[in-house]
Amino acid sequence: MPETPEDLYARAYGALMCPDPAEKSRLVAQLCQDWEQGVLPIPADGGDCPVLAVIDAGRPARPELIEHTSVPHRKPSSAEGLAALLHAIAHIEFNAINLALDCVYRFRGLPADFYAGWLQVAAEEAYHFGLVTARLAAVGFAYGDFPAHRGLWDMALKTASDPLARMALVPRVLEARGLDATPPIVAKLQKVGDEATIAVLDIILRDEIGHVALGDRWFRHFCAERGLEPEETYLALMTEFDAPWPPKPLNVEARRKAGFSAGEIARLEGGRPRRNGA
């Protein structure tokens, strides 16, 4: 039976705050099914579910969260190194479920297409999480066996008051970095002959291009509403929020498919501009 109350925002919040990964994935699947069947209204007045600050989205007690600078580098040349790499990817995918759900829950009064898009992203991220944790189990480990960091969710907190900033700095900065990181990871996996993990990463890369493109679409939509030039606004937000600059090499093909212009990519490849007095 569908969960109650029958309200899109409340249901998204329930899935967002669920700590168990398997149950969260089930709630996302049910949420998407009910949305597609048209039984989840979007309350014109925001409904009975207030917009609350979510300092910590629902997650299991493990993995232990540490500073991102303390997370060890992962090389897949050993069994434990491969497991640590898979664990890092699983953690990103789990956080991405929560990020998509938070977009649905937090930002009110937007077109139905906005909610439909981020519900689809939540479902695809849950699918990715399942694929990666299955690979992790195949090498003898489970999600929670290694420490992780909360960088993705920290940016969600910083952008909680503004959907334009959220679209710019989560999909178009942090998730776009995943597009860049995938080819080098695949190259390392090819050296050790791990075709099973490469196949999973191929699926994730394909879908993540679409996720970044969705963020790009709504970022440009919100810029147009406010009369802002998108690419200058993007760079300004990266500076304002001290967002990480993408390391080279960029995955130019994937970024172009996701909505980045040739000029924008060239500016990103040029490195972070020096600040006055730097």
Side-chain angles (χ1 to χ4, degrees):
M1 294 292 294
E3 276 69 27
T4 54
E6 293 299 327
D7 174 298
L8 175 65
Y9 302 133
R11 289 278 299 279
Y13 182 74
L16 173 66
M17 299 308 294
C18 177
D20 178 73
E23 177 64 7
K24 186 186 294 284
S25 295
R26 190 193 70 79
L27 290 173
V28 167
Q30 185 67 62
L31 179 57
C32 290
Q33 179 180 316
D34 290 348
W35 169 265
E36 290 169 0
Q37 292 177 351
V39 297
L40 280 177
I42 305 174
D45 59 356
D48 297 326
C49 181
V51 182
L52 303 173
V54 179
I55 304 304
D56 286 300
R59 61 178 183 85
R62 298 172 66 240
E64 175 192 5
L65 298 183
I66 61 177
E67 291 295 323
H68 71 92
T69 52
S70 300
V71 177
H73 293 291
R74 305 165 183 90
K75 297 181 180 180
S77 53
S78 68
E80 186 166 348
L82 173 61
L85 173 64
L86 288 166
H87 190 277
I89 297 170
H91 185 66
I92 290 169
E93 301 303 322
F94 182 78
N95 274 275
I97 303 170
N98 284 335
L99 287 164
L101 290 169
D102 190 69
C103 285
V104 175
Y105 159 71
R106 181 162 307 285
F107 301 122
R108 308 288 171 93
L110 297 175
D113 278 358
F114 179 88
Y115 303 113
W118 291 108
L119 286 172
Q120 180 179 341
V121 170
E124 290 176 353
E125 302 292 14
Y127 172 57
H128 298 166
F129 179 76
L131 291 175
V132 180
T133 52
R135 284 295 304 137
L136 194 57
V139 297
F141 292 85
Y143 181 57
D145 285 349
F146 295 86
H149 67 82
R150 52 175 292 147
L152 278 170
W153 191 253
D154 283 343
M155 187 60 78
L157 288 175
K158 292 178 182 179
T159 58
S161 64
D162 186 356
L164 186 151
R166 172 69 64 86
M167 296 298 105
L169 300 175
V170 175
R172 289 188 102 249
V173 173
L174 299 185
E175 294 189 65
R177 292 181 76 188
L179 306 183
D180 304 328
T182 299
I185 293 173
V186 168
K188 292 177 181 178
L189 292 170
Q190 286 172 335
K191 291 181 179 179
V192 298
D194 188 350
E195 296 298 328
T197 299
I198 291 172
V200 169
L201 293 183
D202 286 344
I203 293 170
I204 291 175
L205 178 61
R206 176 201 68 198
D207 292 344
E208 293 296 344
I209 290 172
H211 301 173
V212 177
L214 182 67
D216 178 80
R217 170 194 170 186
W218 288 104
F219 169 67
R220 294 179 188 277
H221 170 89
F222 295 132
C223 283
E225 282 190 335
R226 302 181 196 185
L228 300 173
E229 198 288 315
E231 295 179 10
E232 292 299 330
T233 300
Y234 179 61
L235 294 174
L237 287 168
M238 289 181 71
T239 299
E240 178 184 346
F241 285 83
D242 196 27
W245 200 266
K248 293 186 284 188
L250 303 187
N251 188 338
V252 173
E253 179 183 3
R255 281 180 176 264
R256 288 293 299 271
K257 289 179 179 178
F260 287 80
S261 71
E264 190 174 20
I265 291 170
R267 293 182 73 172
L268 292 172
E269 288 182 321
R272 186 187 294 275
R274 292 176 62 86
R275 297 180 180 179
N276 291 336

